[in-house]
Amino acid sequence: MANMAQAIRLALHYGEQNLQVKDIFGEDVGMPLGGVFTATQGLDTTWNTPLDERGIIGMAMGIGLTGERCVAEIQFCDYIFNTIDLLKIAGNTLWVSHGNYNMPIVVMTPVGAGIRGSVYHSHSFDAWATRLPGWKVVMPSTPLDAYGLLISAIKDPNPVLFLKPKALLRVRGEELLPGEPTSEKTLKKMIDAPIGDRSKWKAQWPEMEELDISIGQGKITREGDQATVVTYGRHVAMCNKVADDLASEGKRVEVIDLRSLYPYDWQMVKASIQKTGKVLFVNEDTEVTNFGEHLAYRTTSELFYELYAKPRVLAGLNLPGIGLHANLEENSVPQVKNIRKEIDELLAEVP
Amino acid sequence: MSRTSTATSSRGKKKRPVNVATKKKKTTKKTAIHRSQQSPKLGLSNELLLKMHSLMVKSRVLEERLIKIYKTGDAYFWIGGPGEEAFGVALGLLAKKGRGPEYDYLHLHYRCTPTLVAMGMPMIDSIRLIMNKSTDRCTGGRNFSNHYCFPEWNVVPVSSPIEVQYTTAIGTAHVQRRTKSNGITIVTGGDAGSAEGDFASCLVWASRPANPLPMLITVQNNAWGISTSYEGQHGETTIADRGAAFNMRTRVINGNDPIESYKALEEEIYYIRRNQKPVVLEARLSRLFGHSSADGANRKQDQDCCIEIFEDQLLSAGLLKPADIQRVWSEYEAEGRAALEQVRGESAPQADSLWDHYYADGENGDWRKF
Ligand SMILES: Cc1ncc(C[n+]2csc(CCOP(=O)(O)OP(=O)(O)O)c2C)c(N)n1
Ligand SMILES: [Mg+2]
């Protein structure tokens, strides 16, 4: 099965072939490297930009103003912060021009901890991203979702921020992408650039098909009726693991992979909470003014009388950074054991 | 703010260096005027000179009308471009007007009423914008005066953060370069704003050796950034010099002179269309009514007025008589007044429109409805 980096590459290739993508660009996005996580290797329309994040976002916005489709990358979300005012403008262009100009751009950027990235390769951007009105924000947790969501992002007439959980980029999926060869080896041979001289190498693309994963649709990854866990990105797998462990003890926890942070699938979240009466929101961005807090607030204001326990948010500590040593990183952002502890407490709560 | 008050303002007290001296020579030739003739002294056709004069006056009358609208309490804020007409009108006349990459893209700042008037914007559009009416076709009552947006002319939304237009402009120029049409990207902004990183970004991206961009990068240097004067903040000899470091063609002009502005812009735009390469052009010009309504929006007597200077030239060349000038001003006055009367009666945007155009195609963006 494809890993997430390969799935992103295949979606971008699909975009070049079928969705009029004419520019995929960012720092080291073109050959010979094809992106620091190899997510853009071998594509037709990639190019390397100057080391200038504001220029990258401005370039994308200018292309978007002409109506053409492009995908821009910020190498690590840790370096997106000096573009925030441009991101705000990209988000408000349609609104402030009263419908005169769409901004159909995709910006993708790796986020989160989990690879021992220390202070400046571990930032999260989801809480910030949800404070950029006008954008759509998605974060896949599997290669299949990455493939489908990226195709949807490219087709979308609005600006879409595609957050790549960097710890998952090398993780293989459990489902084949539509059109993906069944053998991992074959796929690798076809689309992974060789080590060494790549000047003559060309990718051989499989005939990929479209996959429709609508932005705004969550996914129930574990069913249960005793508690709900709502998460996204790399914490989906951790929450699934906790749910599986608990299932073996006879406890039934429902896990929702939100997939889209804005717009988000409130109907799915709401139905689940109405069923379980208990909810935990998990993500790794810092805990103060966290997106999970918005969801917890909404839960309290709309579902208060249906709850059996207070809504909980488990997020990264409100620290200035993620320290490099494993002891520091693992105690800064939620781990399986922290999720387990929260769910245990949640399950134990009696109204 | 009427023509009379402008005419009686003190003249010629130059308080700052303008690269090229304004022409002071008078001629008393009084032969009959043929509009298509080339004016030998002024170097442009009579028709064009008169057209430029008319558009400059129109833009000034409109800006003065906007200031009056602010001062009578009919608008919250005014910011605009009086004093920058000579350059702005020339630019608007030379832009290739239309929609899509084959035409010029304009990434403007908030001093570009003259450019839009020259492109054909009716006064009423600007008045609806400053009065934030629902009929405001640029922003639907959402944004400040002079924050124009005209997609049919590739005029992308003007936004308030200084200098960001220099960074987005590279994107439209990139598409034009690929399209291989002769459409170019024009970007304007102020002198103080050139200190922002976006100006540097623009220079870097426009001049990548294998990918030069067809861009006219202009700076409307009025020597002020709100209350901060140019002299104290700029170590470079001219702002345009910064382009030279990127091997770009650069030019500094007297932006108070419509003839020089027109000729220079015509040459540079021709060069860009032909060679698909960028140019940095700095125009030195006046800020005639201060920064905005925040500092009073009153006529500054120490600034040269490009229209007065031009009218002197046209009078001397015998192209206009005082009565002609008077007529041009009053006709536009009447148009501005009538437009204001009409706009006064138009509706305001309502709360139920707040979420309109959040997302394209009417898609909901209000989380309460997810
Ligand atoms: C990024 C940013 N910083 C500050 C401001 C506030 N501001 C508005 S206009 C202005 C001065 C701009 O001067 P200049 O670039 O010379 O343009 P001018 O107004 O003189 O035409 C400032 C500081 C702003 N709008 N955007
Ligand atoms: Mg200035």
Side-chain angles (χ1 to χ4, degrees):
Chain A
M1 311 285 166
N3 64 31
M4 196 183 283
Q6 289 172 322
I8 289 169
R9 226 185 284 160
L10 289 163
L12 292 171
H13 169 70
Y14 184 87
E16 290 180 334
Q17 294 292 302
N18 304 289
L19 305 172
Q20 286 80 49
V21 171
K22 296 210 185 95
D23 292 282
I24 300 169
F25 55 97
E27 292 156 15
D28 308 297
V29 156
M31 293 308 280
L33 191 59
V36 289
F37 292 98
T38 72
T40 50
Q41 270 182 0
L43 295 160
D44 289 337
T45 65
T46 52
W47 49 280
N48 290 330
T49 65
L51 205 169
D52 175 18
E53 287 76 17
R54 291 184 68 80
I56 292 168
I57 299 298
M59 170 61 76
M61 290 167 65
I63 294 172
L65 287 169
T66 72
E68 290 203 354
R69 299 292 161 138
C70 67
V71 179
E73 176 171 89
I74 299 295
Q75 198 164 65
F76 292 91
C77 82
D78 309 66
Y79 309 119
I80 203 171
F81 291 88
N82 71 340
T83 73
I84 288 242
D85 64 322
L86 291 172
L87 298 177
K88 282 191 75 73
I89 295 170
N92 71 31
T93 294
L94 178 71
W95 186 87
V96 90
S97 70
H98 210 237
N100 280 324
Y101 274 99
N102 283 356
M103 186 55 76
I105 62 174
V106 180
V107 173
M108 50 182 200
T109 187
V111 297
I115 61 159
R116 306 283 181 255
S118 92
V119 183
Y120 272 94
H121 300 81
S122 302
H123 270 94
S124 287
F125 198 64
D126 45 293
W128 300 89
T130 54
R131 294 187 47 77
L132 294 169
W135 282 81
K136 294 187 177 180
V137 185
V138 300
M139 168 134 61
S141 68
T142 67
L144 189 73
D145 284 354
Y147 181 77
L149 284 171
L150 188 48
I151 288 175
S152 298
I154 292 168
K155 285 161 77 177
D156 204 285
N158 301 288
V160 182
L161 200 49
F162 184 86
L163 303 178
K164 304 191 268 195
K166 69 171 89 75
L168 299 185
L169 287 168
R170 296 262 176 275
V171 177
R172 300 202 172 281
E174 292 166 358
E175 299 145 296
L176 274 185
L177 314 183
E180 179 188 345
T182 44
S183 143
E184 257 167 41
K185 271 206 181 122
T186 311
L187 179 68
K188 186 174 166 48
K189 231 185 175 154
M190 291 173 82
I191 70 165
D192 282 6
I195 309 288
D197 181 19
R198 294 168 168 181
S199 54
K200 298 201 176 66
W201 174 76
K202 266 185 91 72
Q204 287 197 302
W205 296 101
E207 196 62 41
M208 297 303 290
E209 290 154 34
E210 187 154 332
L211 172 67
D212 181 31
I213 297 182
S214 300
I215 296 176
Q217 265 179 22
K219 183 170 146 191
I220 296 175
T221 58
R222 293 294 183 271
E223 284 190 35
D225 57 10
Q226 293 179 312
T228 301
V229 181
V230 181
T231 187
Y232 42 83
R234 79 178 173 111
H235 284 83
V236 172
M238 293 191 210
C239 294
N240 285 344
K241 163 139 185 33
V242 174
D244 292 344
D245 291 348
L246 285 164
S248 64
E249 298 165 23
K251 293 173 182 155
R252 301 176 304 275
V253 173
E254 184 141 296
V255 179
I256 293 178
D257 177 358
L258 214 48
R259 302 198 291 194
S260 292
L261 280 62
Y262 210 94
Y264 59 85
D265 197 342
W266 178 247
Q267 295 311 318
M268 179 178 282
V269 172
K270 180 178 165 184
S272 179
I273 298 173
Q274 283 173 327
K275 177 172 65 175
T276 64
K278 296 180 175 184
V279 64
L280 166 68
F281 299 99
V282 182
N283 67 68
E284 63 179 309
D285 207 339
T286 44
E287 60 200 335
V288 176
T289 323
N290 179 282
F291 181 54
E293 290 183 334
H294 163 72
L295 297 172
Y297 154 75
R298 187 165 186 185
T299 303
T300 315
S301 42
E302 289 184 27
L303 304 171
F304 187 73
Y305 297 106
E306 298 172 66
L307 294 175
Y308 295 128
K310 64 180 183 193
R312 289 164 183 257
V313 176
L314 178 63
L317 297 181
N318 196 37
L319 292 165
I322 308 280
L324 176 55
H325 193 280
N327 290 341
L328 303 178
E329 177 178 317
E330 285 169 17
N331 286 291
S332 303
V333 290
Q335 307 295 321
V336 168
K337 64 172 196 266
N338 311 113
I339 298 167
R340 171 71 195 239
K341 180 168 172 284
E342 288 290 332
I343 298 179
D344 281 345
E345 286 176 18
L346 192 61
L347 289 171
E349 257 189 78
V350 180
Chain B
M1 272 169 297
S2 67
R3 165 65 194 152
T4 341
S5 68
T6 354
T8 53
S9 65
S10 61
R11 296 188 190 185
K13 282 195 264 166
K14 211 163 286 141
K15 293 292 186 221
R16 53 179 286 259
V18 164
N19 240 26
V20 186
T22 46
K23 292 173 185 142
K24 284 184 182 146
K25 280 179 239 152
K26 304 222 170 187
T27 120
T28 44
K29 213 165 142 207
K30 286 230 168 70
T31 44
I33 302 306
H34 297 290
R35 291 176 72 87
S36 59
Q37 260 174 11
Q38 184 90 356
S39 171
K41 280 262 163 11
L42 303 178
L44 293 175
S45 78
N46 294 338
E47 186 175 4
L48 179 57
L49 291 167
L50 294 176
K51 186 172 176 184
M52 281 206 288
H53 170 257
S54 167
L55 290 167
M56 287 165 69
V57 173
K58 182 174 184 180
S59 180
R60 177 71 57 83
V61 168
L62 172 57
E63 287 285 19
E64 290 183 353
R65 174 58 54 194
L66 298 181
I67 292 171
K68 284 176 199 152
I69 288 171
Y70 164 75
K71 290 193 173 180
T72 52
D74 288 317
Y76 296 112
F77 181 69
W78 167 83
I79 190 162
E84 309 200 7
E85 293 89 353
F87 176 81
V89 162
L91 184 64
L93 286 174
L94 287 160
K96 189 176 160 198
K97 218 168 69 167
R99 189 197 287 259
E102 306 80 53
Y103 298 92
D104 295 348
Y105 278 98
L106 289 104
H107 299 253
L108 305 176
H109 68 318
Y110 45 74
R111 302 221 189 269
C112 294
T113 288
T115 300
L116 287 157
V117 164
M119 290 177 82
M121 174 184 73
M123 283 189 179
I124 199 163
D125 283 354
S126 184
I127 293 173
R128 286 171 168 149
L129 172 60
I130 194 173
M131 291 176 72
N132 33 88
K133 295 292 187 177
S134 65
T135 47
D136 155 30
R137 46 184 300 248
C138 298
T139 82
R142 288 173 175 179
N143 215 342
F144 277 156
S145 71
N146 265 274
H147 284 52
Y148 296 114
C149 169
F150 295 101
E152 69 276 27
W153 298 337
N154 281 346
V155 175
V156 307
V158 172
S159 67
S160 300
I162 295 294
E163 221 67 2
V164 292
Q165 68 275 22
Y166 287 83
T167 317
T168 47
I170 57 178
T172 55
H174 170 80
V175 171
Q176 287 171 315
R177 180 175 180 276
R178 178 171 49 225
T179 312
K180 295 200 168 65
S181 63
N182 68 358
I184 68 168
T185 287
I186 296 166
V187 56
T188 72
D191 47 297
S194 68
E196 295 277 5
D198 297 281
F199 188 73
S201 286
C202 187
L203 298 177
V204 168
W205 289 68
S207 64
R208 295 190 306 143
N211 301 281
L213 297 179
M215 290 182 82
L216 176 64
I217 303 166
T218 75
V219 179
Q220 294 180 208
N221 181 353
N222 58 22
W224 290 99
I226 305 188
S227 69
T228 304
S229 70
Y230 178 85
E231 287 77 32
Q233 310 296 337
H234 290 262
E236 71 272 41
T237 306
T238 71
I239 296 172
D241 281 348
R242 294 178 63 187
F246 293 83
N247 296 311
M248 287 184 199
R249 184 160 145 142
T250 65
R251 188 156 180 171
V252 180
I253 63 167
N254 177 3
N256 279 341
D257 181 344
I259 300 168
E260 180 178 340
S261 294
Y262 189 91
K263 286 180 181 164
L265 283 166
E266 191 177 36
E267 278 173 27
E268 299 310 321
I269 288 174
Y270 177 75
Y271 167 88
I272 301 163
R273 289 199 206 288
R274 202 190 154 105
N275 299 291
Q276 296 284 296
K277 284 189 175 157
V279 166
V280 181
L281 186 143
E282 174 182 348
R284 304 279 178 91
L285 34 70
S286 299
R287 195 182 70 171
L288 218 50
F289 284 78
H291 177 70
S292 69
S293 52
D295 58 6
N298 295 316
R299 172 68 196 260
K300 303 289 180 233
Q301 302 302 337
D302 61 348
Q303 297 275 312
D304 286 338
C305 168
C306 59
I307 301 184
E308 286 176 14
I309 297 168
F310 194 32
E311 287 179 349
D312 282 352
Q313 285 178 296
L314 296 173
L315 286 168
S316 304
L319 280 174
L320 282 177
K321 297 194 191 72
D324 301 329
I325 292 179
Q326 202 60 52
R327 199 188 55 247
V328 175
W329 284 82
S330 25
E331 276 174 15
Y332 287 130
E333 275 295 346
E335 184 182 335
R337 263 197 309 274
L340 171 61
E341 280 321 308
Q342 183 179 333
V343 174
R344 272 223 174 92
E346 291 176 351
S347 64
Q350 298 301 314
D352 63 5
S353 72
L354 271 175
W355 292 90
D356 290 356
H357 308 298
Y358 186 104
Y359 286 139
D361 308 323
E363 188 182 338
N364 170 53
D366 181 358
W367 57 273
R368 292 166 192 81
K369 297 180 183 153
F370 289 163

